Amino acid sequence: MNTTATDPEYVDQVDLTRGRPVRIQQVTSQRYLAIMPWGQLFGIVPDPRQAEVPRALQYLSTAQREQAELRNEIQRTIQGTKKKANARDYARYIAAGLRGDRGERWATPPFALWLPGDMDIVRFKSPFGDDLLAYMPFDATGILVDAETQHLAHILLQEDPGAYGLVKTQVTTRLVSVEIYHRIGLRDARQIFHDRNLLGVIPNKNVALAADSSNLATDITFALLEQVVIPESAAGRDVPLERLVSTRPRQLKATDPEWMTLSSLRAFVVTALFGRPGFDKTSGPLSELPAGCTMEVAESAIAEAAALLFRTFAKHFDERADTVIAAPAMLAALGAVVHRSMPWAGEPRRSIDQLLALLSDVSWERDPKLWDGSVGKATTSTRTGAPMLSLAGGIKDSGSKTAAALEDPASPRYRQVRGYLGAAGQ
């Protein structure tokens, strides 16, 4: 019999057939504290490194794959980041404590464990009040919303305890404190990750934005991920935008299948809200919307414009390694151009059809003759000596110049980015 967390049944003995028993203390209706051997926690939270190896996922069980996908939605990456080195340093610190080298002068914080599944909670009568016991399902999996680096450090110790002057049982039987977050959704778990990590080892901008659901611009950005549907050439069908936006790396590699990062899409949202003044708002929190704009109106209007824009120029986004359309400064500039079509923008406004017509003859190729001085800077390949375009300039440096090139017929760059064709104005 499964019971709710707020109304557990009374029992007088432990039933080991119901799951792995863990004694817990309730803090709130959705948060509990527990003490358990680290080895038991490892049975619930597998090695996070396997979640970052796509080829390894096919060999996992369905539950393990679901755990890995949720983990990747929340946590920062390990490979190619300081997190991997930090875990090795952490492992040496924990090993020194377990060996007794540090006396009592060491400590590790609690693990913060999110359990998307259910716990079977019962209670016992005791002289000091009711004691709670949770039966963890034998196949339970969870995600750490804090202390994953500490978890990885323990895994390193377990893999090679001798290298740290330990034996394996010192690692697996070490008692650790665990905060268990139960009956909350992915959005809440992301927020806990954000709040618990932002003041510690600060996540990169993309991870921080993905986690912070208390930011208005981020809320709208996540709405776009779900509402905007666009064609994906690789899949040969329409897919939600979230399939083509990376919520983890700060920068995409040329071989990555996604079109853009979350922070780039958010910059598009901010400038769509505020126009060119939004270039200075793209890197910070956003707590207020423009006058005359509500969340409902903003989500609807920006989603409509984004869908038409991304569908119309999908081919160029697919070929982003050879075009400029997905550069962060370009996406911010496109947002500023889109702003003129938003219902809260000042006059004169342009219709969505006029917006698409304005951009229809832009040459998106990554060519220095077209884009030098706006979204990029002409340079020379150190390997081949051929001319090339560097997109190293940031949004604040290049956004305004790029927006002028896209929409201002009086700008000399307006003709330049259209291949010197002297395209007609709006």
Side-chain angles (χ1 to χ4, degrees):
M1 172 183 176
N2 283 331
T3 58
T4 66
T6 56
D7 188 27
E9 64 174 309
Y10 280 102
V11 298
D12 54 14
Q13 60 183 356
V14 176
D15 182 358
L16 297 178
T17 66
R18 293 172 67 161
R20 294 186 180 92
V22 178
R23 189 178 180 183
I24 59 176
Q25 183 173 355
Q26 187 168 7
V27 180
T28 69
S29 62
Q30 297 170 320
R31 182 185 175 204
Y32 300 83
L33 297 179
I35 303 293
M36 66 179 70
W38 174 81
Q40 184 173 359
L41 179 66
F42 184 53
I44 300 170
V45 183
D47 188 339
R49 294 172 296 184
Q50 70 183 12
E52 297 182 13
V53 183
R55 286 179 296 180
L57 297 181
Q58 62 183 313
Y59 301 108
L60 301 179
S61 67
T62 300
Q64 290 172 326
R65 280 197 303 273
E66 290 174 353
Q67 188 275 344
E69 291 168 359
L70 283 173
R71 181 265 170 198
N72 290 342
E73 286 281 332
I74 296 172
Q75 275 287 350
R76 53 167 84 94
T77 54
I78 297 170
Q79 297 299 324
T81 69
K82 291 183 179 179
K83 188 171 183 176
K84 188 175 182 180
N86 290 343
R88 290 194 293 267
D89 293 339
Y90 214 155
R92 287 191 287 270
Y93 173 79
I94 295 171
L98 292 176
R99 292 194 307 265
D101 298 349
R102 303 183 65 92
E104 297 299 323
R105 300 183 305 276
W106 73 290
T108 56
F111 294 85
L113 172 66
W114 172 41
L115 287 178
D118 208 352
M119 287 194 301
D120 183 5
I121 300 175
V122 297
R123 53 183 170 175
F124 292 83
K125 289 187 178 296
S126 79
F128 306 101
D130 291 344
D131 283 343
L132 294 180
L133 185 75
Y135 291 108
M136 297 270 188
F138 294 112
D139 61 348
T141 58
I143 294 89
L144 290 174
V145 293
D146 195 23
E148 188 182 71
T149 303
Q150 182 190 164
H151 190 52
L152 181 55
H154 281 81
I155 293 171
L156 297 177
L157 294 175
Q158 177 186 246
E159 289 176 343
D160 192 4
Y164 295 89
L166 302 174
V167 295
K168 188 173 182 179
T169 54
Q170 286 178 280
V171 183
T172 57
T173 62
R174 183 198 173 210
L175 292 179
V176 295
S177 55
V178 182
E179 296 176 346
I180 301 175
Y181 292 89
H182 183 226
R183 299 182 185 276
I184 65 172
L186 174 60
R187 190 178 187 83
D188 294 330
R190 275 200 187 107
Q191 188 66 50
I192 293 170
F193 167 82
H194 175 273
D195 295 346
R196 294 290 293 267
N197 285 273
L198 190 60
L199 299 180
V201 179
I202 299 177
N204 70 47
K205 180 180 177 182
N206 209 43
V207 173
L209 291 174
D212 188 6
S213 59
S214 64
N215 191 302
L216 296 179
T218 306
D219 274 353
I220 297 171
T221 304
F222 274 112
L224 295 189
L225 296 183
E226 299 175 359
Q227 295 176 20
V228 175
V229 178
I230 51 181
E232 182 189 36
S233 59
R237 62 180 185 275
D238 285 359
V239 296
L241 181 60
E242 63 183 342
R243 285 278 299 274
L244 299 175
V245 176
S246 174
T247 60
R248 291 188 294 134
R250 185 172 183 175
Q251 292 182 329
L252 294 177
K253 299 188 291 291
T255 55
D256 287 336
E258 293 88 357
W259 283 3
M260 65 194 76
T261 65
L262 185 74
S263 60
S264 295
L265 179 61
R266 182 182 179 278
F268 170 87
V269 168
V270 173
T271 52
L273 286 169
F274 293 95
R276 296 193 196 186
F279 292 132
D280 290 331
K281 302 177 185 291
T282 55
S283 60
L286 188 67
S287 58
E288 293 184 356
L289 296 175
C293 177
T294 66
M295 284 292 289
E296 183 178 3
V297 171
E299 287 183 10
S300 174
I302 297 177
E304 178 187 3
L308 289 172
L309 195 67
F310 294 153
R311 291 181 74 93
T312 300
F313 300 109
K315 175 178 180 294
H316 301 290
F317 281 102
D318 275 334
E319 300 169 354
R320 64 175 177 79
D322 299 313
T323 66
V324 297
I325 197 167
M330 177 61 75
L331 283 165
L334 285 169
V337 175
V338 163
H339 173 74
R340 289 276 305 279
S341 301
M342 297 294 99
W344 58 87
E347 296 290 352
R349 296 194 188 104
R350 63 169 70 95
S351 68
I352 293 294
D353 288 341
Q354 289 173 324
L355 168 67
L356 296 180
L358 173 68
L359 300 174
S360 64
D361 56 356
V362 172
S363 297
W364 302 106
E365 294 81 7
R366 191 175 294 197
D367 185 340
K369 294 193 301 292
L370 297 169
W371 296 102
D372 178 39
S374 52
V375 77
K377 180 180 180 181
T379 185
T380 302
S381 171
T382 56
R383 185 173 60 86
T384 65
M388 59 181 295
L389 184 73
S390 170
L391 300 178
I395 291 173
K396 294 181 181 179
D397 295 331
S398 304
S400 185
K401 292 180 289 187
T402 305
L406 294 176
E407 69 174 346
D408 186 358
S411 168
R413 295 188 179 95
Y414 182 92
R415 293 166 55 90
Q416 179 180 336
V417 303
R418 289 163 172 80
Y420 304 99
L421 298 177
Q426 304 175 49

